[in-house]
Amino acid sequence: MNRYTNYNLKPYLIMLTIGLLVLFQAVPVGSRIYIDIDSAMQKKIPIAIPAFRHEAGDHPMGIKMAEILSNALGFSGLFQIVDPAVFLQDPQKMGVEPGEIKFAEWTFLGADLLVRGSYRTEGNRIEAVIRLYDVIHQKLLLEKEYKVTVEATRQTVLDFADEMMLYLTGEPGIFRTKIAFVGDATGHKEVYLANFDGSNIRQLTRDQSINLAPAWSGGGGRISFVGYRQGNPDLYLMDLISESVNRISHRPGLNIAPAWHPRDEKLAATLSFTGNPELYLLDERGEILRQLTVNWSIDVSPSWSPDGKQLAYVSNRAGKPQIYVLNIGTRRSRRLTFEGEYNTSPAWSPRGDRIVYSSMHNGIFDLFLISPDGRELSQLTGGNGNNENPCWSADGRLILFQSDRRGANTLWVMLANGGDQRRLQLDLGGTHTEPAWSERLTQMAP
Amino acid sequence: MRKSTAWILGSVLLVMLLVLGVSCRKKVETMETKPVQEEVSAEEAAAQQAAAEAEAAAREAEDVRLAEERAMEEARLLEEAAMMAAAAQMRAFETENVYFDFDKYVLRPDAMAILDEKAAWLRDNPEVRVLIEGHADERGSNEYNLALGDRRANSAKDYLVRSGVAANRLTTISYGEEQPVCMQHNESCWWRNRRAVFVIR
């Protein structure tokens, strides 16, 4: 029921483009990074999201739905949510339809955008209409109708958030994504799964050995990881629906660092059965399709370019770990990083234009951004403990990483320019490391 | 008075006689037994000598037995000492780690000295098979450290193989930074964690 998809698109695209240009302006290396959260907030788009109105008066779900939407949009880092405490009217009495909106009141509160939702319930069914308004131009931008079960409410609201992002930025949001990571709350390193915002935690492995390096396979229905359950670091592949696990590589030595090709059902990984850790291309059953590196140094931590034609990885062939880029077609590698004496964990942005990696300086690890041609080096974190193992959100706007700035390693999220750094809310003890962010999932595993 | 004096004298005499009588009877008895004894010795001299000889032989046998026992005990102690030494060597083989510099897998001179001892012991104990674990300190990525641990275990293995230990007796595994023995976040712990560990299988 998307009646207004192309309505008044241009002003917002221009405004967001300017906003994003400001947001993605990177800090040059050498100058000390200083992340001013307040000024970053000023660049965010103020949006008001009053509790959705229930047809038959007060209803707890209306507040919940507005909360879900506010949290999701706030997580994106693009919006500043107007505090509901300053609203001038009871949301239950405010209008919802285009003719009923008092735009002047929202302008007064500083909101540029307004989301108004209304719904009715019937048994286990819920029917909702959610509308996005441009307060400045006093216009309806987007209107969506949903008829779903009560259990699907959360996902429905997140789907609207994705629609909003698509409408406003030309690209859907990341609200249908999941995060895999390694946690040791049980005393053993196990692989866990959570929603993009850290909610709905699910433990995937429980063999009490060591489990590491979760990696999403293309499509997001499967996760590969490194496990010691059979006494050697072997590569496993788990189907997220059935939870069935296959051991796909158990050659002598290392079977580690899985990275799935963005399109085909194959993966790059590090094997050391020859006595030296080299990169290989494997099919989904673990058969070697091709050896990718041949030398006497360590080659590890591959990350694909979004077109699947290049591979960023770590090699110490020059004596210390540095980032290299391998052209799959020509099989030639070139060194990407020259600054810093210890560079690891490259992650290629889904947009293709940046590679984030972890660099040690003065004994501390921080995250840096570099373009695939080796230019435009910028520092993203600084003065906040060790920051390692970065990965990207599907839209390339956010970076998820581990940081020990509060003691033990936990997961943190920031904008791709290093701004708006915040801890991912995970209701789980122990350390959280090696995050891996899925692409947008068409089918959400439980 | 005279009558009582005579009574006392009589009593004294009686006592003296009694005493004399006793001692005389004693004398008589000794004088009587002596000839009897001489008579027995003469009859059983041969038997007595045989008994004495038997006794001497038994003593000699006992001495031999004691000497044997002592020798056995000494041998046992030696054996025990040797076993303890072997156990200590085996323990030393397992407890003595090889350490590495940060981000390095080349063997330092102290590492080679330890590996020389291990190689000698492995040559003396050809039935022993060994798992060599490679470990790293916490700095650096988990994956790079797994690779580092792999190279460290293989550095130790290659050295032992070059020292004459059959390669099929040695297997390796890397734990990267996943199994530290020391938990502080500074060099006092890091050097202990950058290690190769030797486990007898």
Side-chain angles (χ1 to χ4, degrees):
Chain A
M1 303 297 119
N2 192 349
R3 283 188 264 154
Y4 293 88
T5 319
N6 293 315
Y7 189 90
N8 200 15
L9 179 64
K10 273 181 184 165
Y12 257 97
L13 275 183
I14 292 164
M15 185 174 154
L16 270 172
T17 306
I18 294 165
L20 290 175
L21 281 175
V22 175
L23 280 173
F24 283 86
Q25 193 177 31
V27 180
V29 167
S31 74
R32 172 155 170 73
I33 188 159
Y34 177 67
I35 297 143
D36 187 344
I37 290 168
D38 287 330
S39 76
M41 293 292 273
Q42 281 170 16
K43 285 167 195 132
K44 294 181 178 184
I45 300 161
I47 183 168
I49 308 171
F52 289 14
R53 193 173 80 177
H54 190 244
E55 209 178 47
D58 278 346
H59 194 272
M61 201 170 272
I63 295 168
K64 188 75 196 152
M65 286 192 280
E67 261 177 27
I68 293 165
L69 187 59
S70 299
N71 290 340
L73 295 177
F75 188 90
S76 75
L78 292 179
F79 301 93
Q80 181 220 327
I81 314 298
V82 176
D83 183 359
V86 306
F87 291 168
L88 302 174
Q89 274 190 61
D90 176 2
Q92 191 56 36
K93 294 180 182 120
M94 292 176 196
V96 291
E97 307 241 353
E100 307 169 343
I101 305 292
K102 293 174 175 165
F103 289 110
E105 286 185 4
W106 296 111
T107 310
F108 176 77
L109 295 177
D112 289 359
L113 294 172
L114 168 71
V115 174
R116 241 357 231 134
S118 61
Y119 68 106
R120 60 187 160 121
T121 48
E122 201 177 306
N124 192 37
R125 306 288 301 174
I126 182 165
E127 284 182 40
V129 181
I130 313 176
R131 296 180 178 90
L132 171 67
Y133 293 100
D134 173 348
V135 172
I136 294 166
H137 300 93
Q138 307 201 350
K139 278 174 179 163
L140 176 65
L141 299 179
L142 184 65
E143 176 179 317
K144 301 287 284 182
E145 280 183 38
Y146 300 94
K147 292 177 183 172
V148 295
T149 61
V150 168
E151 291 76 41
T153 305
R154 178 186 150 84
Q155 197 51 59
T156 302
V157 173
L158 293 177
D159 286 350
F160 180 78
D162 272 331
E163 291 283 350
M164 266 183 68
M165 294 293 285
L166 176 63
Y167 180 82
L168 295 171
T169 71
E171 198 184 348
I174 47 133
F175 307 120
R176 262 186 181 269
T177 62
K178 283 181 176 282
I179 285 162
F181 62 96
V182 174
D184 66 359
T186 62
H188 303 274
K189 282 197 168 183
E190 306 281 9
V191 176
Y192 291 81
L193 196 61
N195 289 344
F196 72 94
D197 58 357
S199 64
N200 195 22
I201 298 168
R202 175 179 156 206
Q203 186 177 343
L204 290 183
T205 64
R206 41 187 85 244
D207 57 62
Q208 306 193 348
S209 67
I210 305 167
N211 295 283
L212 302 166
W216 294 88
S217 81
R222 298 183 298 178
I223 283 179
S224 58
F225 58 93
V226 175
Y228 280 73
R229 60 181 71 181
Q230 291 181 71
N232 191 62
D234 297 327
L235 270 183
Y236 293 85
L237 181 57
M238 178 187 273
D239 183 288
L240 291 180
I241 302 294
S242 66
E243 285 203 11
S244 65
V245 177
N246 283 320
R247 186 166 64 157
I248 59 172
S249 181
H250 57 104
R251 296 167 174 91
L254 301 175
N255 302 264
I256 63 164
W260 287 82
H261 189 277
R263 288 173 193 173
D264 306 334
E265 291 298 315
K266 58 189 181 185
L267 72 157
T270 292
L271 310 175
S272 73
F273 63 91
T274 59
N276 185 52
E278 305 273 14
L279 286 174
Y280 294 82
L281 192 63
L282 309 177
D283 69 16
E284 59 185 327
R285 289 167 296 127
E287 298 299 320
I288 294 175
L289 299 173
R290 205 207 289 184
Q291 183 169 352
L292 296 175
T293 59
V294 186
N295 58 64
W296 280 106
S297 58
I298 289 172
D299 297 301
V300 75
S301 298
S303 174
W304 292 94
S305 63
D307 62 6
K309 291 177 178 166
Q310 296 180 87
L311 204 57
Y313 67 99
V314 174
S315 177
N316 72 341
R317 66 191 59 177
K320 286 172 177 166
Q322 294 288 348
I323 314 295
Y324 288 74
V325 173
L326 170 71
N327 183 314
I328 299 291
T330 65
R331 302 192 187 195
R332 291 181 70 92
S333 283
R334 63 185 164 85
R335 183 169 164 179
L336 179 67
T337 53
F338 290 89
E339 300 262 355
E341 294 201 322
Y342 196 107
N343 298 323
T344 57
S345 310
W348 209 310
S349 159
R351 295 180 174 186
D353 60 346
R354 289 286 188 279
I355 292 168
V356 62
Y357 64 95
S358 188
S359 178
M360 188 175 76
H361 55 109
N362 301 325
I364 296 290
F365 283 87
D366 271 309
L367 299 180
F368 287 73
L369 209 54
I370 194 167
S371 63
D373 62 6
R375 293 164 195 228
E376 297 173 78
L377 179 64
S378 64
Q379 185 172 351
L380 299 180
T381 62
N384 264 322
N386 291 292
N387 301 280
E388 297 177 79
N389 286 328
C391 64
W392 293 89
S393 62
D395 60 3
R397 289 207 171 87
L398 297 171
I399 294 170
L400 176 67
F401 58 102
Q402 70 184 57
S403 177
D404 66 359
R405 62 185 67 183
R406 297 268 176 85
N409 270 312
T410 49
L411 300 187
W412 290 68
V413 186
M414 65 181 173
L415 299 175
N417 70 344
D420 208 3
Q421 299 187 16
R422 56 222 136 98
R423 188 171 166 182
L424 187 75
Q425 297 303 314
L426 278 170
D427 186 16
L428 182 69
T431 65
H432 311 138
T433 52
E434 296 193 279
W437 210 329
S438 81
E439 53 188 89
R440 296 178 185 91
L441 303 170
T442 47
Q443 190 184 1
M444 290 290 272
Chain B
M1 202 47 189
R2 222 181 265 165
K3 201 180 174 180
S4 62
T5 310
W7 178 250
I8 292 164
L9 275 170
S11 300
V12 168
L13 275 170
L14 187 66
V15 169
M16 284 172 70
L17 277 170
L18 276 170
V19 170
L20 272 171
V22 168
S23 46
C24 278
R25 198 166 60 232
K26 245 186 184 168
K27 246 178 205 169
V28 168
E29 271 170 13
T30 45
M31 281 172 74
E32 276 174 357
T33 49
K34 202 174 178 182
V36 171
Q37 252 184 353
E38 274 167 11
E39 204 177 340
V40 168
S41 161
E43 281 168 2
E44 298 181 358
Q48 265 189 4
Q49 194 176 346
E53 274 168 14
E55 196 181 320
R59 257 201 307 278
E60 204 170 309
E62 176 66 7
D63 285 349
V64 169
R65 190 188 66 80
L66 282 174
E68 274 173 4
E69 294 263 310
R70 265 190 222 101
M72 272 170 67
E73 174 66 5
E74 266 166 40
R76 193 186 65 77
L77 283 172
L78 277 172
E79 198 181 338
E80 204 174 84
M83 277 170 67
M84 280 169 74
Q89 278 182 327
M90 187 188 253
R91 255 199 320 279
F93 182 88
E94 281 205 300
T95 54
E96 203 163 13
N97 298 334
V98 163
Y99 295 97
F100 296 85
D101 289 334
F102 175 63
D103 190 27
K104 292 280 185 287
Y105 37 85
V106 292
L107 296 168
R108 303 191 311 222
D110 60 321
M112 290 190 214
I114 291 169
L115 286 170
D116 285 338
E117 286 171 24
K118 291 192 191 300
W121 187 81
L122 284 171
R123 285 194 300 268
D124 292 344
N125 296 273
E127 77 290 352
V128 170
R129 289 170 179 273
V130 179
L131 174 65
I132 307 174
E133 301 176 357
H135 298 267
D137 72 30
E138 63 181 347
R139 292 171 296 167
S141 70
N142 302 69
E143 285 180 351
Y144 186 77
N145 281 333
L146 280 172
L148 210 51
D150 189 66
R151 289 299 302 254
R152 284 173 178 164
N154 276 305
S155 289
K157 178 187 172 180
D158 292 347
Y159 189 91
L160 293 174
V161 170
R162 282 198 304 276
S163 305
V165 180
N168 62 11
R169 295 171 60 195
L170 307 170
T171 47
T172 61
I173 187 169
S174 172
Y175 285 104
E177 63 178 89
E178 310 302 335
Q179 291 194 337
V181 288
C182 194
M183 306 305 287
Q184 284 167 48
H185 308 295
N186 55 51
E187 184 58 23
S188 76
C189 269
W190 289 334
W191 75 264
R192 285 176 230 268
N193 293 333
R194 294 190 302 264
R195 68 203 192 278
V197 175
F198 300 80
V199 183
I200 293 168
R201 310 227 288 172

